[in-house]
Short mmCIF file of all heavy atoms in Angstrom, two decimals:
data_model
loop_
_atom_site.label_atom_id
_atom_site.label_comp_id
_atom_site.label_asym_id
_atom_site.label_seq_id
_atom_site.Cartn_x
_atom_site.Cartn_y
_atom_site.Cartn_z
N PRO A 77 26.23 -60.32 52.97
CA PRO A 77 27.16 -60.81 51.95
C PRO A 77 26.49 -61.29 50.67
O PRO A 77 27.15 -61.38 49.63
CB PRO A 77 27.87 -61.97 52.66
CG PRO A 77 27.75 -61.66 54.11
CD PRO A 77 26.42 -60.99 54.27
N LYS A 78 25.19 -61.61 50.71
CA LYS A 78 24.51 -62.03 49.47
C LYS A 78 24.65 -60.96 48.38
O LYS A 78 24.70 -61.28 47.19
CB LYS A 78 23.03 -62.30 49.74
CG LYS A 78 22.73 -63.43 50.69
CD LYS A 78 21.22 -63.66 50.77
CE LYS A 78 20.86 -64.67 51.85
NZ LYS A 78 21.03 -64.10 53.21
N GLY A 79 24.70 -59.71 48.80
CA GLY A 79 24.81 -58.63 47.82
C GLY A 79 26.09 -58.67 47.02
O GLY A 79 26.15 -58.08 45.93
N LEU A 80 27.12 -59.36 47.51
CA LEU A 80 28.37 -59.47 46.76
C LEU A 80 28.14 -60.14 45.41
O LEU A 80 28.82 -59.84 44.43
CB LEU A 80 29.40 -60.27 47.56
CG LEU A 80 29.88 -59.66 48.88
CD1 LEU A 80 30.73 -60.67 49.64
CD2 LEU A 80 30.65 -58.37 48.63
N ALA A 81 27.18 -61.06 45.36
CA ALA A 81 26.91 -61.80 44.13
C ALA A 81 26.39 -60.90 43.02
O ALA A 81 26.47 -61.26 41.83
CB ALA A 81 25.90 -62.92 44.41
N LEU A 82 25.86 -59.73 43.37
CA LEU A 82 25.26 -58.84 42.38
C LEU A 82 26.23 -57.76 41.89
O LEU A 82 25.92 -57.04 40.95
CB LEU A 82 24.01 -58.20 42.97
CG LEU A 82 22.94 -59.20 43.41
CD1 LEU A 82 21.80 -58.49 44.12
CD2 LEU A 82 22.40 -60.00 42.23
N ILE A 83 27.39 -57.65 42.51
CA ILE A 83 28.33 -56.62 42.11
C ILE A 83 28.83 -56.81 40.68
O ILE A 83 28.98 -55.82 39.94
CB ILE A 83 29.48 -56.53 43.14
CG1 ILE A 83 28.93 -55.87 44.42
CG2 ILE A 83 30.65 -55.74 42.59
CD1 ILE A 83 29.93 -55.72 45.54
N PRO A 84 29.07 -58.05 40.20
CA PRO A 84 29.43 -58.17 38.78
C PRO A 84 28.38 -57.58 37.83
O PRO A 84 28.71 -56.96 36.83
CB PRO A 84 29.60 -59.68 38.59
CG PRO A 84 30.02 -60.17 39.93
CD PRO A 84 29.23 -59.34 40.91
N LEU A 85 27.10 -57.78 38.15
CA LEU A 85 26.05 -57.19 37.31
C LEU A 85 26.00 -55.68 37.49
O LEU A 85 25.77 -54.93 36.52
CB LEU A 85 24.70 -57.82 37.63
CG LEU A 85 23.50 -57.29 36.83
CD1 LEU A 85 23.75 -57.38 35.33
CD2 LEU A 85 22.22 -58.05 37.21
N ASP A 86 26.23 -55.19 38.71
CA ASP A 86 26.29 -53.74 38.92
C ASP A 86 27.32 -53.10 37.99
O ASP A 86 27.09 -52.02 37.43
CB ASP A 86 26.67 -53.43 40.38
CG ASP A 86 25.59 -53.81 41.38
OD1 ASP A 86 24.42 -53.92 40.98
OD2 ASP A 86 25.94 -53.99 42.56
N ARG A 87 28.47 -53.75 37.82
CA ARG A 87 29.50 -53.21 36.94
C ARG A 87 28.99 -53.08 35.52
O ARG A 87 29.28 -52.08 34.83
CB ARG A 87 30.74 -54.10 36.96
CG ARG A 87 31.47 -54.16 38.28
CD ARG A 87 32.71 -55.04 38.14
NE ARG A 87 33.35 -55.27 39.41
CZ ARG A 87 34.14 -54.42 40.04
NH1 ARG A 87 34.38 -53.24 39.49
NH2 ARG A 87 34.69 -54.73 41.21
N ARG A 88 28.27 -54.09 35.05
CA ARG A 88 27.79 -54.07 33.67
C ARG A 88 26.67 -53.07 33.46
O ARG A 88 26.45 -52.58 32.35
CB ARG A 88 27.34 -55.48 33.26
CG ARG A 88 28.54 -56.42 33.06
CD ARG A 88 28.15 -57.88 33.26
NE ARG A 88 29.26 -58.78 32.99
CZ ARG A 88 30.26 -59.01 33.83
NH1 ARG A 88 30.31 -58.39 35.00
NH2 ARG A 88 31.21 -59.88 33.51
N LEU A 89 25.97 -52.74 34.53
CA LEU A 89 24.89 -51.77 34.42
C LEU A 89 25.39 -50.33 34.59
O LEU A 89 24.94 -49.42 33.89
CB LEU A 89 23.82 -52.05 35.48
CG LEU A 89 23.06 -53.37 35.35
CD1 LEU A 89 22.08 -53.52 36.51
CD2 LEU A 89 22.32 -53.45 34.02
N PHE A 90 26.35 -50.11 35.52
CA PHE A 90 26.69 -48.75 35.92
C PHE A 90 28.15 -48.38 35.71
O PHE A 90 28.51 -47.21 35.84
CB PHE A 90 26.37 -48.55 37.41
CG PHE A 90 24.94 -48.88 37.75
CD1 PHE A 90 24.64 -49.99 38.52
CD2 PHE A 90 23.91 -48.08 37.30
CE1 PHE A 90 23.33 -50.30 38.85
CE2 PHE A 90 22.59 -48.38 37.61
CZ PHE A 90 22.30 -49.50 38.38
N GLY A 91 29.03 -49.35 35.41
CA GLY A 91 30.43 -49.03 35.19
C GLY A 91 30.66 -48.35 33.85
O GLY A 91 29.71 -47.97 33.14
N ALA A 92 31.91 -48.17 33.49
CA ALA A 92 32.24 -47.51 32.23
C ALA A 92 31.55 -48.23 31.07
O ALA A 92 31.71 -49.43 30.89
CB ALA A 92 33.75 -47.51 32.03
N GLY A 93 30.76 -47.48 30.28
CA GLY A 93 30.02 -48.07 29.17
C GLY A 93 28.85 -48.92 29.59
O GLY A 93 28.29 -49.66 28.77
N GLY A 94 28.42 -48.83 30.86
CA GLY A 94 27.35 -49.68 31.38
C GLY A 94 26.01 -49.43 30.71
O GLY A 94 25.74 -48.33 30.20
N TRP A 95 25.15 -50.42 30.75
CA TRP A 95 23.86 -50.39 30.05
C TRP A 95 22.98 -49.25 30.56
O TRP A 95 22.21 -48.66 29.80
CB TRP A 95 23.15 -51.74 30.23
CG TRP A 95 22.00 -51.96 29.31
CD1 TRP A 95 22.03 -52.10 27.96
CD2 TRP A 95 20.61 -52.08 29.70
NE1 TRP A 95 20.74 -52.30 27.47
CE2 TRP A 95 19.87 -52.30 28.53
CE3 TRP A 95 19.95 -52.05 30.93
CZ2 TRP A 95 18.49 -52.48 28.53
CZ3 TRP A 95 18.58 -52.23 30.94
CH2 TRP A 95 17.85 -52.43 29.75
N LEU A 96 23.08 -48.92 31.85
CA LEU A 96 22.24 -47.86 32.42
C LEU A 96 23.05 -46.61 32.78
O LEU A 96 22.57 -45.74 33.52
CB LEU A 96 21.54 -48.38 33.68
CG LEU A 96 20.47 -49.45 33.46
CD1 LEU A 96 19.93 -49.95 34.80
CD2 LEU A 96 19.31 -48.91 32.62
N ARG A 97 24.25 -46.52 32.27
CA ARG A 97 25.18 -45.48 32.70
C ARG A 97 24.62 -44.07 32.53
O ARG A 97 24.79 -43.21 33.40
CB ARG A 97 26.48 -45.62 31.89
CG ARG A 97 27.53 -44.59 32.17
CD ARG A 97 28.23 -44.85 33.47
NE ARG A 97 29.27 -43.85 33.71
CZ ARG A 97 30.04 -43.84 34.79
NH1 ARG A 97 29.89 -44.78 35.70
NH2 ARG A 97 30.95 -42.91 34.96
N GLU A 98 23.93 -43.81 31.43
CA GLU A 98 23.49 -42.44 31.12
C GLU A 98 22.01 -42.22 31.37
O GLU A 98 21.47 -41.18 31.00
CB GLU A 98 23.82 -42.12 29.66
CG GLU A 98 25.29 -42.30 29.28
CD GLU A 98 26.22 -41.45 30.12
OE1 GLU A 98 25.80 -40.33 30.52
OE2 GLU A 98 27.35 -41.89 30.39
N VAL A 99 21.34 -43.16 32.01
CA VAL A 99 19.88 -43.07 32.19
C VAL A 99 19.54 -42.38 33.51
O VAL A 99 20.14 -42.71 34.54
CB VAL A 99 19.26 -44.48 32.17
CG1 VAL A 99 17.76 -44.42 32.41
CG2 VAL A 99 19.56 -45.15 30.83
N PRO A 100 18.60 -41.43 33.52
CA PRO A 100 18.14 -40.86 34.79
C PRO A 100 17.44 -41.93 35.62
O PRO A 100 16.46 -42.53 35.16
CB PRO A 100 17.16 -39.77 34.37
CG PRO A 100 17.45 -39.51 32.93
CD PRO A 100 17.95 -40.80 32.37
N LEU A 101 17.92 -42.17 36.82
CA LEU A 101 17.44 -43.29 37.62
C LEU A 101 17.29 -42.90 39.08
O LEU A 101 18.01 -42.03 39.58
CB LEU A 101 18.43 -44.46 37.57
CG LEU A 101 18.63 -45.22 36.26
CD1 LEU A 101 19.84 -46.14 36.40
CD2 LEU A 101 17.39 -46.03 35.92
N ASP A 102 16.37 -43.58 39.76
CA ASP A 102 16.37 -43.63 41.21
C ASP A 102 17.10 -44.91 41.62
O ASP A 102 16.69 -46.01 41.24
CB ASP A 102 14.94 -43.67 41.76
CG ASP A 102 14.28 -42.31 41.79
OD1 ASP A 102 14.95 -41.31 41.48
OD2 ASP A 102 13.08 -42.25 42.12
N LEU A 103 18.17 -44.75 42.38
CA LEU A 103 18.93 -45.88 42.90
C LEU A 103 18.64 -45.95 44.40
O LEU A 103 19.08 -45.08 45.16
CB LEU A 103 20.43 -45.69 42.65
CG LEU A 103 20.83 -45.47 41.19
CD1 LEU A 103 22.31 -45.16 41.08
CD2 LEU A 103 20.47 -46.68 40.34
N VAL A 104 17.87 -46.95 44.80
CA VAL A 104 17.39 -47.01 46.18
C VAL A 104 17.85 -48.31 46.82
O VAL A 104 17.75 -49.38 46.22
CB VAL A 104 15.84 -46.87 46.22
CG1 VAL A 104 15.16 -47.87 45.31
CG2 VAL A 104 15.32 -47.01 47.65
#
């Protein structure tokens, strides 16, 4: 459940218009 705390930041990084939305990435 600790990971729930990071979901708001996930949205800002990967959601619509996110900071990393268009970047080639390894998501591990």
Side-chain angles (χ1 to χ4, degrees):
K78 297 184 187 73
L80 295 172
L82 301 173
I83 287 179
L85 180 54
D86 292 338
R87 294 183 188 281
R88 287 155 176 78
L89 295 177
F90 305 111
W95 194 67
L96 292 176
R97 178 76 179 179
E98 305 302 327
V99 177
L101 292 169
D102 280 354
L103 304 175
V104 53

